[in-house]
């Protein structure tokens, strides 16, 4: 059985505000710690009505401060939005506060639309093609003897684990070349998953950070006591994806009976493609679907995303997955 971890976007459900999302994220992390999940990651998104994790480092501090052992990190920080020094200082601070528990996943997408990206950066002269140099600069800030004349304080000598995130072949090639662990966003962009994983494993160069390839794959799970209940829960995420792809991002909607049957053929095909890496169903159904996915991909770790409207139902879904993992281990 692969290691299990959690990806949380601190979702904002209809009828609630971000303050409740932050309470829910901490509560989920505390339960995850008791259920022996390996790590708990939060992701940087901006201008999204249904996602509260924009100030990712701040929210990581909130979660890490309320837990004791689970690893907490970013899945990820969108590095083109920031100077590497700022991120080194932020995560150096987090590592100093919570030693041995902080991860830093890095992505090259903006995590927003172009207008929001411009507001974040004040201009768009920063180039995503500079991402490899930015990653190298950030790694240098964390090293024992940085080459840069500028020092990250705190940061230098802390060796915060850095991951490369991606949804295309680019990240796989970069992670392999730099000898870093690799996380693929198969929970919403699965099309190139196996090709990216194969490239990463085939071209991986051992480094001071990692001696052999290490792959984490995003995987959606909507688990409940019955298959019908689980498909009802999944309809919230399905609605959210349709809204987002239609240019109408919104708070997480409540579940709807038979949502997929209400869609046109094109929308159903889109959702089936986006959510191809998912398990939906009862414990028995999810067990088989997870087992099949792990066997097919050989992933070292699964990062479980469960975008479920009601918090208690979300907790129950993650608890089911934890019990499945325990039974299979």
């Amino acid at each position: 059985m692969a290691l299990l971890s959690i990806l949380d976007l601190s979702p904002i459900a209809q009828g609630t505000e971000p303050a409740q999302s932050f309470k829910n994220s901490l509560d989920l992390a505390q339960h995850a710690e008791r259920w022996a999940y390996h790590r708990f990651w939060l992701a940087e998104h901006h201008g999204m009505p249904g996602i509260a994790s924009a100030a990712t480092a701040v929210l990581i501090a909130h979660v890490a401060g309320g837990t004791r052992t689970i690893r907490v990190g970013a899945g990820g920080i969108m590095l083109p939005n920031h100077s590497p020094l700022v991120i080194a200082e932020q995560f150096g601070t987090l590592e100093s506060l919570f030693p041995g528990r902080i991860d830093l996943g890095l992505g090259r997408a903006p995590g927003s639309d172009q207008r929001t990206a411009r507001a974040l950066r004040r201009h768009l002269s920063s180039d995503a093609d500079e991402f490899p140099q930015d990653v190298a600069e950030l790694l240098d800030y964390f090293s024992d003897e940085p080459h840069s004349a500028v020092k990250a304080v705190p940061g230098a000598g802390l060796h915060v684990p850095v991951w490369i995130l991606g949804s295309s072949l680019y990240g796989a090639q970069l992670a392999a070349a730099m000898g870093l662990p690799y996380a693929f966003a198969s929970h919403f962009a699965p099309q190139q998953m196996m090709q990216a994983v194969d490239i990463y494993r085939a071209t991986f160069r051992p480094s001071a950070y990692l001696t052999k390839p290490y792959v984490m794959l995003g995987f959606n799970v909507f688990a409940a006591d019955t298959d019908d209940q689980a498909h009802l829960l999944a309809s919230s995420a399905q609605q959210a994806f349709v809204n987002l792809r239609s240019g109408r991002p919104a708070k997480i909607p409540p579940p709807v009976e038979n949502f997929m049957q209400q869609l046109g053929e094109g929308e159903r095909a889109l959702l089936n493609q986006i959510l191809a890496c998912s398990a939906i169903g009862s414990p028995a159904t999810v067990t088989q679907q997870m087992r099949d996915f792990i066997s097919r991909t050989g992933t070292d770790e699964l990062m479980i995303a469960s975008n479920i409207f009601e918090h208690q139902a979300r907790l129950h879904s993650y608890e089911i997955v934890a019990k499945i993992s325990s039974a299979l281990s």
Side-chain angles (χ1 to χ4, degrees), residues 84-94 138 141-142 151-155:
L85 176 61
V86 167
I87 299 306
E89 291 172 339
Q90 289 179 2
F91 280 78
T93 299
L94 288 167
L138 183 51
Y141 287 132
F142 288 138
K151 307 301 179 187
V153 182

Side-chain angles (χ1 to χ4, degrees), residues 2-7 41 163 166 182-190 192-198 200-201 214-220 277 293-305:
L3 285 174
L4 292 183
S5 295
I6 289 177
L7 177 64
W41 277 9
W163 293 64
Y182 179 55
F184 189 87
S186 36
H187 60 295
F188 72 88
Q192 293 183 298
M193 176 185 69
M194 287 312 305
Q195 188 179 0
V197 170
D198 289 345
Y200 171 69
R201 288 174 173 154
Y214 191 92
V215 173
M216 181 196 298
L217 298 178
F219 190 71
N220 300 291
C277 296
F293 183 79
I294 293 168
S295 176
R296 177 164 61 92
T297 62
T299 186
D300 299 293
E301 189 167 340
L302 277 185
M303 180 145 279
I304 307 296

Side-chain angles (χ1 to χ4, degrees), residues 10-33:
S10 203
I12 308 171
Q14 284 184 15
T16 70
E17 298 299 327
Q20 184 61 51
S21 301
F22 301 145
K23 293 176 183 177
N24 292 346
S25 289
L26 178 56
D27 186 53
L28 174 58
Q30 290 169 338
H31 279 84
E33 189 169 71

Side-chain angles (χ1 to χ4, degrees), residues 169-251:
L169 306 185
Y170 180 93
Q173 294 165 338
L174 179 63
M178 301 187 79
L180 295 173
Y182 179 55
F184 189 87
S186 36
H187 60 295
F188 72 88
Q191 291 85 351
Q192 293 183 298
M193 176 185 69
M194 287 312 305
Q195 188 179 0
V197 170
D198 289 345
I199 288 173
Y200 171 69
R201 288 174 173 154
T203 61
F204 180 85
R205 300 176 186 172
S207 70
Y209 311 107
L210 196 64
T211 58
K212 62 181 182 178
Y214 191 92
V215 173
M216 181 196 298
L217 298 178
F219 190 71
N220 300 291
V221 176
F222 306 94
D225 294 333
T226 69
D227 287 349
D228 287 344
Q229 290 173 347
H231 281 280
L232 178 61
L233 295 179
S235 68
S236 291
Q238 292 162 349
Q239 292 175 76
F241 273 116
V242 169
N243 290 338
L244 180 62
R245 294 302 174 96
S246 302
R248 298 177 280 106
K251 291 184 176 182

